[in-house]
Amino acid sequence: MDHAPAASPARKPKKLRSDMGWSDPHSITVQGLDLCTDILGHLNLGDFAFLEIKGRRPDARESQVFNALLGTLVEHGMTPMVIAARLTYLGAPESLQGAVAAGILGMGTTFAGTAEGSARLLQEAIRPETTMEHLPALAEDIVARHRASRTAIPGIGHPLHKPIDPRTPVLFNLAEANGLSGRYVALMKLVAQAAERALGKPGQLPVNATGAIGALSSELDIPWRLCRGLAVIGRTIGIVGHLAEELRNPIGREVWERTEDESSEHNRT
Amino acid sequence: MDHAPAASPARKPKKLRSDMGWSDPHSITVQGLDLCTDILGHLNLGDFAFLEIKGRRPDARESQVFNALLGTLVEHGMTPMVIAARLTYLGAPESLQGAVAAGILGMGTTFAGTAEGSARLLQEAIRPETTMEHLPALAEDIVARHRASRTAIPGIGHPLHKPIDPRTPVLFNLAEANGLSGRYVALMKLVAQAAERALGKPGQLPVNATGAIGALSSELDIPWRLCRGLAVIGRTIGIVGHLAEELRNPIGREVWERTEDESSEHNRT
Amino acid sequence: MDHAPAASPARKPKKLRSDMGWSDPHSITVQGLDLCTDILGHLNLGDFAFLEIKGRRPDARESQVFNALLGTLVEHGMTPMVIAARLTYLGAPESLQGAVAAGILGMGTTFAGTAEGSARLLQEAIRPETTMEHLPALAEDIVARHRASRTAIPGIGHPLHKPIDPRTPVLFNLAEANGLSGRYVALMKLVAQAAERALGKPGQLPVNATGAIGALSSELDIPWRLCRGLAVIGRTIGIVGHLAEELRNPIGREVWERTEDESSEHNRT
Amino acid sequence: MDHAPAASPARKPKKLRSDMGWSDPHSITVQGLDLCTDILGHLNLGDFAFLEIKGRRPDARESQVFNALLGTLVEHGMTPMVIAARLTYLGAPESLQGAVAAGILGMGTTFAGTAEGSARLLQEAIRPETTMEHLPALAEDIVARHRASRTAIPGIGHPLHKPIDPRTPVLFNLAEANGLSGRYVALMKLVAQAAERALGKPGQLPVNATGAIGALSSELDIPWRLCRGLAVIGRTIGIVGHLAEELRNPIGREVWERTEDESSEHNRT
């Protein structure tokens, strides 16, 4: 049995409490705001996501940066996730929610882990008292630790986008223009530079989009454990987009038939 | 074996093609737009969802209506879906994507089916040649058919929000103000009135939020089969919000322990 | 808000109760049996599934039929479900449960609906008082109703397995040999014969494996709403088997790369 | 974009190949066996799972141990997973596969990680050349490493089942009686003894059921990465059992209503 350690007569019940939303016959309250008068028509979808996660509305600057951050995560072409979603839709077209769920289940360490990883790296390195002067030493230390344990540094380098990931300067410029480029962005850049020096690969290990997302999430004070949730929000939109295309021009059946035919070919000869 | 009907030597391969997104080393293209110069910093998250689903950017009016429509779907308080997500997070905190997936899997006929149902009702009733004059008769016919088959009409009535669902006038007013209140909105309103007359329940079967969403999706020319996808997008944001609260103030373990204790109590005495 | 209709001060709480399993420090009880002395080493996995679903151990005859029934559902080659599971595993190898979940989410109406459908057909037709003499007329009626509504009859015909589905006689013979071939099996056979006559397709619409499963589930008094659960049990084993092969000889990445390359090819020229 | 590192013109296609199953009009082959003549009526469900994972039929001794091992994983009472499944079923009763998927998504590190963890511990410690004489030193080393890194040793101790987990002697005796108790079982026992000595907790850290499962999986030469798959197989059966009970005596709605009411109570006063 999987036991709740406290599943005993002596267990003290804890009060259940949530402040996300509630309603009465005439109104709906979300995080203390009136859905009908304060939110609908006033907050765009990215602002609403900010409200849900942070418990308050974003200001105009946070809104622009957060919408861009989430936008980076929406559409990544024909990924394994969207192929899985299309194949699942083929089997259960009446349960579109299942196809979307199948798609987001592929957002594990291989694809979604790096934004989480870079946010964690930055949030564990920077303390309340950390100042800009401390950052170069922190960057050197991060690179040294990863070299010692022979692990990749999350957030730098990209197999295709060389010498730079074109999304990174856009995100960093938006942060800068909106007063949201602070210690986390600075440290992420310093880590990339230190890694290039340490590994003798000048211009080859720039901050990639997931590193930029990790840095911006940190500037917005979002815990690294929730970064994967931001990725899930973005990708859910992308998966629904792919299912809209699958409705118009299906490819799931063709991918299935080809794979089935070829993989069992050796049994037919 | 589950066989592709055409899994035979004679099967003609179909070309795989997608226009959602692709990239080269220096740029990323999404639906024909440059992600870095056209989208990030320009489109909010709701606009991006519109682009993904419709293949083009919304204009300012469509943007306002579509963001409000999605916003209606984000936060519905402590639903079975968010409780399931919180319980799943308790078991697999390292796989936040799994907790979100568990949450959206509850979006079946009970909760998400009615927006889909009302959109379907409207889209199957209105033909290209249908004019405003045809609508009253269509409404009467819809009500009569549902009475004959003793099925509920999707999109009208609400167990709590009486006499009106406060979200409906907000959404319909936004549609009106933005020139997006046409035949579908008109038919939805007429169906509610016809149902109240036919069932002798004046003022008791107003258009509810899911009816409004079905009507607005139809005005935006979104196929009813995708309406559940809009709900999934909204709820995914809400589920991530609940997981953010679960991180700060967990209730999953308490719900589990109470349920386990009480449900097996009769075996302990 | 998604409201529980009874979410009001006047709501009467219902006692939570379950008889599936519970434990104390020294023993674990499952459905009234002692896990350690009555089950482990005594019941095989199919018998345990029977116990879970029916609340009692199968006898030797039920055991043989039920294990065969579940066995029919385990391995169907390279289906869309197992391809989706393999693609999901590529993205989240640390969360094997997510890859299995993605696989079973494809078990909707397209693939898993027909066993459920044939069980429903039979269980809704046969009443406690129905005798063998009533069955031919019931079969004719079923065929006539499906022809009138132009819907396919679940459980008959197969795109590949012609003139017979080789699994059907095996399952029906096992049922016969074990005294479990009664009215449901008889009606399923009669439906196939009536359909062949009515459509003028002699020898072309035999009972397929899903029809046999629907009939045998009904003989075992399993509600049709649970038939999809039997399919999920079988396929889960098959999906884990495919993931075991994916660990030894991965194909997920190759399927992804080919699909991505070809589907965006037109953008590169 | 998530790029396949090799998604380039120079990519060499890899042949897709699977040996799990295939069919022709007259027969179905699973792992080289004929489904209709070799499997149905001959292999029980646990044996079929063995065939799927190992690529060959179990002998009688392996069959008994493997069926018991899987049986240990089926029913654990009212866990968070089955509550999540019941809540999901409430929202989407037409998609039972989604409710099962929601349930297994909770099988992460908290509950399913320890069988995997103990199997990994044993499989990484024991090399082909390791003999029984090496085991005591390996056990001491394992305990010392976990104490140094202040991490729990997977597979020992239990919050409820004290001083022993009643499942462990049953599984170990079955392994012994069937000639499958070798180095892995021996090392697991030695680890528990060494931990009790090192921590000064005699009789308090016995091998628990997950430790026994990790050891027996290793004796059966199943890679630790697949152990979570065994747990998923067992739990899927248990979840379907709970959904069968939910159909007869639903508790999902009551759990939802109570949780919703109490968690938003502070907003109503």
Side-chain angles (χ1 to χ4, degrees):
Chain A
M1 299 267 153
D2 303 317
H3 277 287
S8 73
R11 192 173 68 77
K12 263 207 198 158
K14 181 190 160 185
K15 179 81 176 65
L16 304 179
R17 181 189 166 116
S18 169
D19 293 294
M20 299 303 290
W22 68 287
S23 59
D24 64 26
H26 310 297
S27 71
I28 292 157
T29 306
V30 175
Q31 306 255 20
L33 301 180
D34 185 300
L35 175 72
C36 294
T37 60
D38 298 335
I39 297 179
L40 299 182
H42 301 283
L43 296 192
N44 66 49
L45 191 65
D47 295 348
F48 203 157
F50 188 99
L51 171 67
E52 283 285 289
I53 291 168
K54 304 272 303 172
R56 64 170 176 84
R57 276 173 285 204
D59 63 28
R61 301 182 143 207
E62 290 165 331
S63 170
Q64 204 183 28
V65 170
F66 193 61
N67 272 285
L69 185 164
L70 290 174
T72 312
L73 296 155
V74 169
E75 178 56 67
H76 290 224
M78 196 59 77
T79 58
M81 286 84 104
V82 299
I83 305 171
R86 288 168 182 254
L87 289 164
T88 305
Y89 188 71
L90 174 64
E94 75 290 352
S95 303
L96 190 136
Q97 74 276 13
V100 178
I104 69 177
L105 287 172
M107 302 186 60
T109 50
T110 310
F111 301 119
T114 49
E116 182 181 271
S118 59
R120 182 177 189 172
L121 191 78
L122 300 171
Q123 293 178 18
E124 290 182 344
I126 293 181
R127 304 286 159 135
E129 65 275 16
T130 304
T131 66
M132 285 289 184
E133 288 83 59
H134 300 121
L135 301 182
L138 289 178
E140 297 292 343
D141 179 56
I142 286 168
V143 173
R145 276 191 290 118
H146 281 80
R147 292 194 73 188
S149 63
R150 290 162 178 259
T151 50
I153 301 173
I156 63 174
H158 197 280
L160 176 69
H161 295 303
K162 295 175 184 171
I164 64 158
D165 184 327
R167 296 164 292 191
T168 303
V170 177
L171 291 173
F172 280 172
N173 289 344
L174 276 169
E176 179 81 37
N178 286 290
L180 285 164
S181 186
R183 295 173 301 169
Y184 297 100
V185 170
L187 179 57
M188 194 70 235
K189 290 178 178 173
L190 288 167
V191 166
Q193 293 162 13
E196 290 186 341
R197 275 195 309 275
L199 299 168
K201 294 188 174 183
Q204 289 178 71
L205 293 172
V207 178
N208 61 32
T210 63
I213 289 166
L216 264 57
S217 304
S218 302
E219 296 288 350
L220 292 166
D221 203 20
I222 293 171
W224 65 263
R225 288 179 196 280
L226 275 179
C227 281
R228 199 175 291 200
L230 305 182
V232 170
I233 289 172
R235 291 299 178 92
T236 295
I237 293 172
I239 293 166
V240 173
H242 276 263
L243 293 175
E245 188 183 58
E246 184 74 11
L247 266 176
R248 296 189 303 268
N249 176 30
I251 67 168
R253 180 171 288 274
E254 179 71 20
V255 170
W256 166 32
E257 290 184 10
R258 290 187 192 181
T259 305
E260 187 189 34
D261 281 1
E262 181 179 330
S263 67
S264 63
E265 209 170 35
H266 61 288
N267 289 311
R268 292 207 185 82
T269 53
Chain B
M1 300 266 153
D2 302 317
H3 277 288
S8 72
R11 192 174 68 76
K12 262 207 197 161
K14 180 190 160 185
K15 180 80 175 65
L16 304 179
R17 181 189 167 116
S18 171
D19 292 294
M20 299 302 290
W22 69 286
S23 59
D24 65 25
H26 310 298
S27 71
I28 292 156
T29 305
V30 174
Q31 305 256 21
L33 301 180
D34 185 299
L35 175 72
C36 294
T37 60
D38 298 335
I39 296 178
L40 300 181
H42 301 282
L43 296 192
N44 66 48
L45 191 66
D47 296 347
F48 203 156
F50 188 99
L51 171 67
E52 283 285 288
I53 290 168
K54 304 272 302 172
R56 64 169 176 84
R57 276 172 285 204
D59 63 29
R61 301 180 144 209
E62 290 165 329
S63 169
Q64 204 183 26
V65 171
F66 193 62
N67 273 283
L69 185 164
L70 290 173
T72 312
L73 296 155
V74 169
E75 177 58 66
H76 290 225
M78 196 60 78
T79 58
M81 287 83 106
V82 300
I83 306 171
R86 288 169 182 253
L87 288 164
T88 305
Y89 188 71
L90 174 64
E94 74 290 351
S95 303
L96 190 135
Q97 74 276 12
V100 179
I104 68 177
L105 287 171
M107 302 186 61
T109 49
T110 310
F111 301 119
T114 49
E116 182 181 272
S118 60
R120 181 177 190 173
L121 192 76
L122 300 171
Q123 293 178 18
E124 290 182 345
I126 292 181
R127 303 287 159 136
E129 66 276 14
T130 305
T131 65
M132 286 289 184
E133 289 81 61
H134 301 121
L135 301 183
L138 289 178
E140 298 293 342
D141 179 57
I142 286 168
V143 172
R145 278 190 289 117
H146 281 81
R147 290 194 75 187
S149 63
R150 291 161 178 260
T151 50
I153 300 173
I156 63 173
H158 197 279
L160 175 69
H161 296 302
K162 293 176 184 170
I164 64 157
D165 184 326
R167 296 163 293 192
T168 303
V170 177
L171 290 173
F172 279 173
N173 288 344
L174 276 169
E176 179 81 37
N178 285 290
L180 285 164
S181 186
R183 297 174 299 170
Y184 298 100
V185 170
L187 180 56
M188 194 70 236
K189 290 178 179 173
L190 288 168
V191 167
Q193 293 161 16
E196 291 185 342
R197 275 196 309 275
L199 299 168
K201 296 189 174 181
Q204 288 179 71
L205 293 171
V207 179
N208 62 31
T210 63
I213 289 166
L216 265 58
S217 304
S218 302
E219 296 288 351
L220 291 166
D221 202 21
I222 293 171
W224 65 263
R225 289 180 193 281
L226 275 178
C227 282
R228 199 175 290 200
L230 304 183
V232 169
I233 289 172
R235 291 298 178 93
T236 295
I237 293 173
I239 293 167
V240 173
H242 276 263
L243 293 175
E245 187 183 58
E246 183 74 12
L247 266 176
R248 296 190 304 267
N249 174 31
I251 67 167
R253 179 172 289 275
E254 179 70 19
V255 170
W256 166 32
E257 290 183 11
R258 290 186 193 182
T259 306
E260 187 188 35
D261 281 2
E262 182 178 329
S263 66
S264 64
E265 209 170 35
H266 60 290
N267 290 310
R268 294 210 182 79
T269 54
Chain C
M1 299 267 154
D2 302 317
H3 277 288
S8 72
R11 192 172 69 76
K12 262 206 197 160
K14 180 191 159 183
K15 180 82 176 64
L16 304 179
R17 180 189 168 117
S18 170
D19 292 294
M20 300 301 290
W22 68 288
S23 58
D24 65 26
H26 310 297
S27 71
I28 292 156
T29 306
V30 173
Q31 305 257 18
L33 301 181
D34 186 299
L35 176 72
C36 294
T37 61
D38 297 335
I39 297 178
L40 300 182
H42 302 282
L43 296 192
N44 66 48
L45 191 65
D47 295 347
F48 203 156
F50 188 99
L51 171 67
E52 283 286 288
I53 290 168
K54 304 273 301 173
R56 65 169 176 84
R57 277 172 285 203
D59 63 28
R61 301 182 143 205
E62 291 165 330
S63 169
Q64 204 182 28
V65 171
F66 193 61
N67 273 284
L69 185 164
L70 291 173
T72 312
L73 296 155
V74 169
E75 178 57 66
H76 290 223
M78 195 59 78
T79 58
M81 287 82 107
V82 300
I83 306 171
R86 288 169 183 253
L87 288 164
T88 305
Y89 188 71
L90 174 64
E94 76 288 351
S95 303
L96 190 135
Q97 75 275 12
V100 179
I104 67 178
L105 287 171
M107 301 186 62
T109 49
T110 310
F111 301 118
T114 49
E116 182 181 271
S118 59
R120 181 177 189 172
L121 192 75
L122 299 171
Q123 294 179 17
E124 290 182 344
I126 292 182
R127 303 286 159 138
E129 66 275 14
T130 306
T131 65
M132 284 290 185
E133 290 81 61
H134 300 122
L135 301 182
L138 289 178
E140 297 292 344
D141 179 56
I142 286 168
V143 172
R145 277 190 289 115
H146 282 80
R147 290 194 74 187
S149 63
R150 290 161 179 259
T151 49
I153 301 173
I156 63 172
H158 197 281
L160 175 69
H161 295 303
K162 295 176 185 169
I164 65 156
D165 184 327
R167 296 163 292 192
T168 303
V170 177
L171 291 173
F172 280 172
N173 288 344
L174 276 169
E176 179 81 36
N178 285 291
L180 286 164
S181 187
R183 296 174 300 169
Y184 298 100
V185 169
L187 180 56
M188 193 71 236
K189 289 177 179 172
L190 288 167
V191 167
Q193 293 161 15
E196 291 185 343
R197 276 197 308 275
L199 299 169
K201 296 188 174 183
Q204 288 178 70
L205 293 172
V207 179
N208 61 32
T210 64
I213 290 166
L216 265 56
S217 305
S218 302
E219 297 288 351
L220 291 166
D221 203 20
I222 293 171
W224 64 263
R225 290 180 194 279
L226 275 179
C227 281
R228 199 176 291 201
L230 305 183
V232 170
I233 289 172
R235 292 298 177 91
T236 295
I237 294 172
I239 293 167
V240 173
H242 276 263
L243 293 175
E245 187 182 60
E246 184 74 12
L247 267 175
R248 297 189 304 267
N249 175 32
I251 67 168
R253 179 171 289 276
E254 179 70 19
V255 170
W256 166 31
E257 291 183 11
R258 289 186 192 181
T259 305
E260 186 188 34
D261 281 3
E262 182 178 328
S263 66
S264 64
E265 209 171 35
H266 60 289
N267 290 309
R268 292 207 184 81
T269 53
Chain D
M1 299 267 155
D2 303 317
H3 276 289
S8 73
R11 191 172 69 78
K12 263 206 196 160
K14 180 190 160 184
K15 181 81 176 63
L16 304 179
R17 182 191 167 115
S18 170
D19 292 295
M20 300 302 291
W22 70 285
S23 58
D24 65 26
H26 310 298
S27 71
I28 293 156
T29 306
V30 173
Q31 305 255 21
L33 301 180
D34 185 297
L35 176 70
C36 295
T37 60
D38 298 334
I39 297 179
L40 299 181
H42 302 283
L43 296 192
N44 66 48
L45 192 64
D47 295 348
F48 203 156
F50 188 98
L51 171 67
E52 283 286 289
I53 291 168
K54 305 270 304 172
R56 63 169 177 83
R57 276 173 285 203
D59 62 29
R61 302 182 141 206
E62 291 165 330
S63 169
Q64 202 181 30
V65 171
F66 194 61
N67 272 285
L69 186 163
L70 290 174
T72 313
L73 296 155
V74 168
E75 178 56 67
H76 290 225
M78 196 59 78
T79 58
M81 286 83 105
V82 300
I83 306 171
R86 287 168 183 254
L87 289 163
T88 305
Y89 188 71
L90 174 64
E94 76 289 350
S95 303
L96 189 136
Q97 74 275 12
V100 179
I104 68 177
L105 287 172
M107 303 187 60
T109 50
T110 309
F111 301 118
T114 49
E116 181 181 273
S118 60
R120 181 177 188 172
L121 192 77
L122 300 171
Q123 293 179 17
E124 290 181 345
I126 292 182
R127 303 287 159 136
E129 66 274 16
T130 304
T131 65
M132 285 289 185
E133 290 82 61
H134 299 121
L135 300 183
L138 289 178
E140 297 292 344
D141 179 56
I142 286 169
V143 173
R145 278 190 290 117
H146 281 80
R147 292 194 72 187
S149 63
R150 291 160 178 260
T151 50
I153 300 173
I156 63 173
H158 196 280
L160 175 68
H161 295 304
K162 295 176 184 172
I164 65 157
D165 184 326
R167 297 164 291 191
T168 303
V170 177
L171 291 173
F172 280 172
N173 289 343
L174 276 169
E176 180 81 35
N178 286 291
L180 286 164
S181 186
R183 297 174 299 170
Y184 298 100
V185 170
L187 179 55
M188 194 71 235
K189 289 177 179 173
L190 288 168
V191 166
Q193 293 162 15
E196 291 186 342
R197 277 196 308 275
L199 298 168
K201 296 188 172 182
Q204 288 178 69
L205 293 172
V207 178
N208 61 32
T210 63
I213 289 166
L216 264 55
S217 305
S218 302
E219 297 288 351
L220 291 166
D221 203 21
I222 293 172
W224 64 263
R225 289 179 196 281
L226 275 179
C227 282
R228 197 174 292 200
L230 304 183
V232 169
I233 289 172
R235 293 296 178 93
T236 295
I237 293 172
I239 293 167
V240 173
H242 276 263
L243 293 175
E245 188 184 56
E246 183 74 11
L247 266 175
R248 296 190 304 268
N249 174 30
I251 66 168
R253 179 172 288 275
E254 180 70 19
V255 170
W256 166 32
E257 290 182 11
R258 289 187 193 182
T259 305
E260 187 189 36
D261 281 1
E262 180 178 330
S263 67
S264 64
E265 209 171 33
H266 60 289
N267 289 310
R268 293 209 185 81
T269 54

